Structure formats: structure tokens, C-alpha cells
Amino acid sequence: NLRTQLNQYSALKNSLQAIQRKREGNLSVRSLYGIVNRDQCVSDSEYLQTLFVAVPKNLKREWANKYETLADMVVPRSCTRIDEDDEFALYSVVVMKRAVGDFTSKARENKFTVREFNYSEEEAAEERENAMDVEEQEGSKFQQLREWIQTNFSDMFSAWLHIKALRAFVESVLRYGLSVDFVAVLINMTSRNLQKTIKALKDTYGYLEDNTNSSSAAARNSVRKGKSDAAIGSGDAFDMHEFSTVLDETYTPFPLFNIEWSFDRDAN
């Protein structure tokens, strides 16, 4: 459920970021609505079309010298500077419609970016409405996801600790045998004093390892009481020291489980 909700929110967030890039990016990717006016476009012409070209600022002089010859049928002296940012200058140029493809290709070869843009009041209104709709959906979905996480975190955390408690009980029975006679303790430690605390516990309760071996041997002997004494040698006693080569350094003479978590107290 969490994965599904995260995927839904991520899709909305990506859509919103794409819209924001169009609003806030440089002139080679930014939406031209709000920058270009209707008066700056040749409209209702059967033969002519206005193109908008993003030119790197270091190539402005080259653009001025080349734009009329990039393709046939470019209207002479039709170039007009529309806007400029830190990286690009935006120019308009008028060409014959049948020369648009050739002009676009030659412009790309010279590192000039022809923007695909045809001014339309309807498209401008649709773009604004779509941006507002995505912003509203993203905000709403974020709030839903946040509430869902806050609601379910308590249940998940309780279930996690419940499993830890079950493991502590089962491992203690396996370690110490029956009847049940042990105490489970929760210790709050920081990463700085973790190893020091564990060492102190090992030093204090190291004797439990010997008791465990004795209890295990006694329980085994009790189960095998029908066998002859000759069949039960001293070698049958369970000795953890025999497994010292395969046990890692985390072994302790008592069951020990770490509950690791990290909460950002500054998070909302």
C-alpha cells in the first residue's frame, strides 16, 4: 500500500517538477507563454511563420551574422530580440513555412535552438489551468500520504516491537530451557556507548554461558533417561566453546537483539 501511494505521489511530483522547469528554466526549455505576445507573431498568414530561437549568449554575434543565410526564404532583417536570461537570448525570425524544417535543421547544427511554439490563447489558458490542477493534486496527495504514514506508523512500529519481544522469549527458552525463569530488559543506548555497554553486560552476566551449558546437558540427559549411562558420555554435554570458530563476535552469553532506528526530530 505504501509503495502504491509513493508511486502515485512521485508521478504527480515529477509532473509538477516538469511544469516548474518550464516556468523557471532557461529560455531553451522554458514555456514561452508570458514571454511572447501575440503582436510578436505573424498570424493568419498562408506563407509566413514566426520562429523563436534560443541562442547561447556567447553566440549572439554569430547568430546576427548567420540567421538570414541559414536557409532559403528567410525574411531579411526580421530578427527581433524578445528576451534574455543568464544563458540564452531569445530571438524571433520570420521564414516561409516551407523553409521551417530546413531552417530548424541548420540552426541546430549551429547550436541555435528553435523552439516549437505557436501562440494560442487557448493553449495558454490550458497550460495555466493544467499547472494549477497538478499543483493542487500534488499538495493534496502529499497531505494524504503524510496522514496515511502517521496513522500506520504506530501500528507498524508496535508490530515490529512485538516480534522482537516474541524472539526474545523464544530465544530465551531455547537458551535457558524450561521452566521459564528469566527477565527481559529494554536498554536505551546511543551509538557512542553501545559497545561499552555490551561489554559491561558480558562481563556481568558471563556466568550465564556456563549455566546454559549445564542446563542444556541436564535437559538432554533427562530426555535420554531411558538410555544406559554408557550411552551418555561426558562428550554429550553442549559446550558453546566448541563453536567458537563459527560464532561471530556478536555472540553474547544471553539473547540480545538490536532495535535500530533514527528519527529526525526536526521533521514535520
Side-chain angles (χ1 to χ4, degrees), residues 13-14 16 32 44 46 86 145 163 172-173 201 245 266:
K13 187 175 182 179
N14 291 337
L16 180 60
L32 298 183
D44 301 326
E46 185 177 352
D86 294 337
L145 179 61
I163 292 173
S172 298
V173 170
L201 289 171
T245 58
D266 296 329

Side-chain angles (χ1 to χ4, degrees), residues 25-42:
N26 60 49
L27 289 170
S28 67
V29 296
R30 185 177 175 182
S31 174
L32 298 183
Y33 287 113
I35 298 175
V36 174
N37 301 320
R38 177 181 289 276
D39 297 339
Q40 294 168 324
C41 304
V42 174

Side-chain angles (χ1 to χ4, degrees), residues 140-181:
S140 176
K141 189 61 182 179
F142 176 79
Q143 187 63 29
Q144 292 176 13
L145 179 61
R146 180 179 174 182
E147 292 175 356
W148 185 91
I149 290 175
Q150 290 175 336
T151 300
N152 287 275
F153 176 81
S154 177
D155 292 339
M156 295 296 294
F157 193 82
S158 297
W160 183 42
L161 291 187
H162 187 69
I163 292 173
K164 292 288 188 180
L166 287 173
R167 287 190 63 192
F169 180 84
V170 172
E171 289 289 339
S172 298
V173 170
L174 292 175
R175 183 77 67 91
Y176 304 129
L178 296 173
S179 64
V180 177
D181 184 19

Side-chain angles (χ1 to χ4, degrees), residues 22 61 73 76 78 83 91 97 117 149 187 191:
K22 288 184 177 180
R61 185 180 296 276
M73 294 176 287
S78 61
D83 199 2
Y91 294 93
K97 286 186 176 181
F117 179 77
I149 290 175
I187 304 176
S191 57

Side-chain angles (χ1 to χ4, degrees), residues 207-242:
Y207 67 89
L208 290 175
E209 186 171 327
D210 295 333
N211 290 350
T212 300
N213 296 337
S214 300
S215 298
S216 299
R220 194 173 287 101
N221 290 336
S222 176
V223 171
R224 298 174 183 177
K225 62 183 179 179
K227 297 184 178 180
S228 65
D229 293 339
I232 306 176
S234 59
D236 288 338
F238 184 72
D239 187 359
M240 290 299 296
H241 293 292
E242 296 180 7

Side-chain angles (χ1 to χ4, degrees), residues 185-196:
V185 179
L186 185 66
I187 304 176
N188 184 17
M189 294 178 283
T190 64
S191 57
R192 289 180 297 180
N193 62 16
L194 175 62
Q195 296 303 323
K196 182 179 179 180

